[in-house]
Amino acid sequence: MWYETGLTIFGQKIAYTELVGQVLALAVVFLAQRRSLLTWPVQLVSVALLFTVYLSAHLGGLATRQVAVGAIAVYGWYAWVRRRDPVFGVVVRKGSPRERLAIVGAFVAGTVAFALVLDALDASWAPWPDAAIFIGTILAFALQGLGLVEFWLVWLVVDAVGVPLQIRSGLYFSAFVYLIFAGLVIHGFIDWNRTARRLTQAAKSPL
């Protein structure tokens, strides 16, 4: 099939769709760190390519994730266009304690529910990590669209689950990309956290 053609690196075959899709996914993290509007159109191209990769690897959760992320990317693009500060760019903030608790609850409940669905439909050979990555990704992009700093922390959880799953699936390049993701995510969290603090201080400063 066209989406299975690729190249071999260190004895491992990497499909061009996986290569380009993951490189673009890395670009998304880089662009998100800088709060660039290009984050979202690049994301749309990435998910279209990775959808075919995960579908061929029989990872239904990861394939479905691409569809959901594509829909959220459209919303995120719209939200970021409307919520821009002339000095700091996209407005970002830290979540409240209640919001953080809701994030954790949504991740746990969503993972359990979706894992049971994947298992019942025989849509994934690893339903629990597959589900955790799916729910974590949906949460991360939704929180990113809302400008919440905590979305970076959700991405760290996704990376921690994703690396071993990609390796066991034979998607070694994707596993390598997930490791790079982790470094970019940590840097992005520090940057967004700093920006959120500056925005809070600016809001409190007298005119």
Side-chain angles (χ1 to χ4, degrees):
M1 301 292 289
W2 65 269
Y3 52 79
E4 294 178 339
T5 59
L7 67 165
T8 300
I9 300 177
F10 300 122
Q12 300 296 332
K13 184 176 180 181
I14 302 173
Y16 289 127
T17 48
E18 180 186 358
L19 176 64
V20 176
Q22 293 292 12
V23 168
L24 289 178
L26 278 174
V28 167
V29 180
F30 180 82
L31 292 168
Q33 177 189 322
R34 285 155 179 76
R35 299 175 298 284
S36 169
L37 289 178
L38 287 175
T39 298
W40 303 108
V42 172
Q43 181 67 67
L44 288 173
V45 177
S46 175
V47 298
L49 293 172
L50 293 178
F51 173 79
T52 64
V53 172
Y54 292 123
L55 200 63
S56 64
H58 190 53
L59 289 171
L62 291 178
T64 305
R65 179 183 74 163
Q66 306 309 313
V67 177
V69 168
I72 294 176
V74 174
Y75 161 76
W77 197 349
Y78 168 76
W80 278 26
V81 167
R82 298 183 66 227
R83 298 172 61 252
R84 291 186 65 80
D85 180 270
V87 177
F88 299 104
V90 175
V91 177
V92 300
R93 66 178 178 87
K94 296 180 182 179
S96 66
R98 180 176 296 181
E99 287 173 324
R100 293 172 183 172
L101 183 61
I103 291 169
V104 173
F107 178 76
V108 173
T111 296
V112 172
F114 194 55
L116 293 176
V117 171
L118 289 175
D119 188 48
L121 297 177
D122 191 29
S124 175
W125 63 267
W128 289 93
D130 204 355
I133 293 173
F134 174 82
I135 296 299
T137 300
I138 300 305
L139 268 176
F141 276 111
L143 297 173
Q144 178 181 328
L146 293 172
L148 289 180
V149 173
E150 285 74 13
F151 96 88
W152 294 106
L153 300 180
V154 177
W155 269 128
L156 279 179
V157 176
V158 171
D159 290 338
V161 176
V163 170
L165 178 62
Q166 303 283 4
I167 292 175
R168 292 181 62 192
S169 299
L171 302 172
Y172 300 104
F173 180 72
S174 292
F176 174 69
V177 168
Y178 268 56
L179 289 175
I180 299 176
F181 271 147
L184 291 175
V185 164
I186 292 172
H187 191 274
F189 173 73
I190 294 172
D191 181 72
W192 273 47
N193 196 52
R194 185 184 301 117
T195 301
R197 186 163 54 249
R198 288 202 302 265
L199 281 167
T200 300
Q201 292 172 349
K204 292 179 179 179
S205 298
L207 296 177

